[in-house]
């Protein structure tokens, strides 16, 4: 049987002795560090680390380890989490008419590339919009919205999120702007995919805008959602080089591919506890 494995993430003001104190605490409980990544941000003067650990004989005393980490955390002013990697995170996806990102997430989830419990799909379009997609037993919630019903609809969205127990909300081309109130409730646990290599063309028909301006690169950005539209901490970005031969339809096609892979990478890294907030930025310990 494989040994239970845990992942420890932490951040605190940088000072000497952090690594030694954490490593000693793990050692004192018989823990075995399998992987360690760390980063000292000279600008914010904060220290970040991600550590995976197990116990050679499957006898790691987790309560004692947590108590030890609590002591170290108090000493260094540390924010930390310790998670059993076998426990799957609960994720809910919000989507509108464009379903390419949703289809990709479903595919990777079924393959096991995204180790999560998909606890719901919410859309402002009816189920028939996605009749070619197999949702299996994933609950689907059709919550239509208009300008007049936006607040009531967001109330229902928030209810579904809470009742599902979702730890993360993924906006997979959900073409509705979240209110400041809902964005605040989802702070740090809502990821959006934006159809440009930010900053870029905003509003409707972005690829047509890009074509009209003769751009040579298109891209996509996955970021945390904040009240400032498309200004949240960036997790991942990617681009494709294009030329004068490409039509707007070519850009749309290539853009869909970029959006899919950027969102899936950001989601995968979040599930693996590789994304740590750093003010208006993120620290991403890539695998």
């Amino acid at each position: 049987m494989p040994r239970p494995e845990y992942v420890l993430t932490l951040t605190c003001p940088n000072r000497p002795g952090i690594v030694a104190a954490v490593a000693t605490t793990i050692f004192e409980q018989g823990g075995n560090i399998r992987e360690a990544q760390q980063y000292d941000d000279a600008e914010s003067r904060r220290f970040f680390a991600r550590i995976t650990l197990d116990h050679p004989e499957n006898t790691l005393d987790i309560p004692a380890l947590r108590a030890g980490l609590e002591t170290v955390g108090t000493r260094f002013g540390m924010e930390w989490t310790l998670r059993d990697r076998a426990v799957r995170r609960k994720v809910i996806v919000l989507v509108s008419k464009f379903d390419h990102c949703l289809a990709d997430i479903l595919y990777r989830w079924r393959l096991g590339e995204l180790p999560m419990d998909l606890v719901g799909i919410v859309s402002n379009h009816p189920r028939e919009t996605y009749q070619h997609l197999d949702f299996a037993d994933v609950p689907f919630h059709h919550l239509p919205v208009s300008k007049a019903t936006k607040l009531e609809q967001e109330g229902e969205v928030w209810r579904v999120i809470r009742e599902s127990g979702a730890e993360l909300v993924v906006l997979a081309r959900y073409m509705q702007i979240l209110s400041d109130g809902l964005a605040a409730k989802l702070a740090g646990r809502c990821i959006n995919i934006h159809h440009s290599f930010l900053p870029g063309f905003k509003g409707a028909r972005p690829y047509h805008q890009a074509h009209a301006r003769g751009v040579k690169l298109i891209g996509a950005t996955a970021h945390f959602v904040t009240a400032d539209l498309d200004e949240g901490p960036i997790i991942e970005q990617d681009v494709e080089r294009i030329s004068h031969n490409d039509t707007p339809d070519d850009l749309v096609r290539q853009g869909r591919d970029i959006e899919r892979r950027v969102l899936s990478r950001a989601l995968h890294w979040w599930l693996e506890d590789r994304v740590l907030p750093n003010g208006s930025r993120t620290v991403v310990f890539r695998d």
Side-chain angles (χ1 to χ4, degrees):
M1 294 289 294
R3 296 197 293 262
E5 191 170 299
Y6 297 83
V7 56
L8 169 66
T9 60
L10 61 93
T11 178
C12 60
N14 192 33
R15 55 183 273 201
I18 300 170
V19 174
V22 172
T24 298
T25 300
I26 294 172
F27 169 75
E28 288 174 344
Q29 303 305 324
N32 172 50
I33 294 177
R34 297 177 58 87
E35 180 184 6
Q37 295 171 288
Q38 63 188 59
Y39 172 64
D40 172 16
D41 184 2
E43 183 174 329
S44 66
R45 297 183 179 179
R46 292 191 66 82
F47 177 82
F48 301 82
R50 178 185 184 273
I51 299 169
T52 59
L53 59 122
D54 63 9
H55 191 288
E57 298 177 1
N58 290 349
T59 57
L60 187 60
D61 189 338
I62 295 301
L65 176 58
R66 289 187 180 278
L69 291 171
E70 190 67 38
T71 300
V72 173
T74 300
R75 175 183 167 193
F76 288 96
M78 184 182 298
E79 300 172 16
W80 60 274
T81 63
L82 180 68
R83 190 179 68 85
D84 184 344
R85 299 189 72 182
V87 177
R88 294 161 69 93
R89 318 292 289 275
K90 293 182 178 181
V91 176
I92 195 166
V93 176
L94 274 60
V95 63
S96 291
K97 186 174 181 180
F98 300 109
D99 63 0
H100 51 285
C101 287
L102 172 62
D104 187 67
I105 289 172
L106 289 169
Y107 176 73
R108 296 177 188 273
W109 170 61
R110 287 195 175 91
L111 284 181
E113 290 183 13
L114 296 174
M116 64 186 187
D117 286 339
L118 187 56
V119 295
I121 298 169
V122 176
S123 178
N124 55 318
H125 293 271
R127 176 66 180 86
E128 291 73 26
T129 307
Y130 319 100
Q131 57 185 335
H132 57 290
L133 296 180
D134 179 11
F135 290 171
D137 296 326
V138 179
F140 178 82
H141 307 271
H142 175 214
L143 300 177
V145 63
S146 66
K147 288 184 179 180
T149 63
K150 184 172 179 60
L151 289 180
E152 290 81 0
Q153 191 258 10
E154 279 202 345
E156 284 298 297
V157 170
W158 176 237
R159 179 188 61 79
V160 170
I161 293 170
R162 286 188 295 108
E163 292 181 355
S164 71
E167 300 169 73
L168 182 72
V169 177
V170 177
L171 306 185
R173 292 306 304 272
Y174 182 62
M175 306 304 290
Q176 297 292 320
I177 298 174
L178 302 188
S179 68
D180 291 356
L182 185 55
K185 291 175 181 176
L186 297 175
R189 60 189 190 104
C190 182
I191 295 176
N192 183 40
I193 184 67
H194 191 275
H195 47 231
S196 76
F197 184 61
L198 294 173
F201 301 102
K202 297 183 180 182
R205 298 165 65 88
Y207 295 112
H208 292 75
Q209 294 182 57
H211 182 264
R213 292 286 297 276
V215 301
K216 298 300 182 282
L217 287 173
I218 60 171
T221 299
H223 63 92
F224 284 115
V225 171
T226 64
D228 294 324
L229 181 63
D230 300 324
E231 298 295 334
I234 292 172
I235 302 170
E236 173 63 341
Q237 295 180 292
D238 204 352
V239 296
E240 287 284 354
R241 182 164 293 280
I242 60 174
S243 77
H244 57 275
N245 287 318
D246 290 306
T247 67
D249 287 343
D250 291 331
L251 271 59
V252 170
R253 173 179 52 79
Q254 294 179 65
R256 284 196 298 259
D257 288 339
I258 309 170
E259 291 166 11
R260 281 192 289 252
R261 65 177 183 255
V262 169
L263 183 58
S264 67
R265 283 200 294 259
L267 176 53
H268 172 74
W269 291 337
W270 188 91
L271 293 169
E272 292 267 306
D273 301 282
R274 296 181 179 276
V275 183
L276 279 66
N278 183 20
S280 60
R281 297 175 291 154
T282 61
V283 172
V284 181
F285 292 117
R286 299 181 57 164
D287 53 359

